[in-house]
Amino acid sequence: MAGRNDHVIADALQALAQAIRNPNRGEVGGAVEYQVHYLGTPHQGLDRFQRNNPPSFSGGYNPDGAQNWIREIEKNFQVMACPEGQKVAFGTYTLVEEVEYWWENTRQCLEAEGQDVTWDVFNRVFLEKYFPEDVRNKK
């Protein structure tokens, strides 16, 4: 299992190196997108998101946990006035274990289909997987 995250670590290091080289761009490619502080202008970033102590979600059969995770992540987005373009990157950054691998595969499939992967799209596919409609209807 140790080698399974090597690509994520490599992507994060590459993104960090690019951010250091280009601090005024505000945007970097790779696994995690964030903006940096430049010339005293506060830009929302991953560090600010993490200071709000967002919960993680590990997957499995846990419909209530999935719904609660979404609710808490969205509260963090609201508090930090997170731009739409960063919600997927920040929210999915907190996914761990099984759900992290599920999302990586699902994201690739959505992009291959030509879909724009917005927070609403993520929300829909996430809830379909981890809080299925039949379970929602029973509640």
Side-chain angles (χ1 to χ4, degrees), residues 3 22 75 81 90 95 119 131:
N22 301 312
K75 281 173 38 179
F90 290 175
L95 299 177
W119 181 251
F131 194 14

Side-chain angles (χ1 to χ4, degrees), residues 87-102:
K87 288 181 179 181
V88 173
F90 290 175
T92 59
Y93 184 78
T94 67
L95 299 177
V96 295
E97 298 173 12
E98 174 262 324
V99 69
E100 182 179 8
Y101 300 112
W102 165 82

Side-chain angles (χ1 to χ4, degrees), residues 17-75:
Q18 185 175 355
I20 290 168
R21 283 192 306 270
N22 301 312
N24 60 344
R25 275 189 58 197
E27 181 181 315
V28 294
V32 179
E33 295 177 2
Y34 62 93
Q35 292 184 329
V36 295
H37 293 262
Y38 183 67
L39 298 177
T41 306
H43 293 280
Q44 294 165 346
L46 183 59
D47 58 338
R48 185 168 177 222
F49 178 72
Q50 289 180 306
R51 281 195 303 266
N52 291 317
N53 296 316
S56 62
F57 185 73
S58 60
Y61 183 77
N62 185 0
D64 289 333
Q67 185 178 32
N68 290 337
W69 177 81
I70 289 282
R71 186 179 311 115
E72 291 300 313
I73 292 295
E74 288 181 343
K75 281 173 38 179

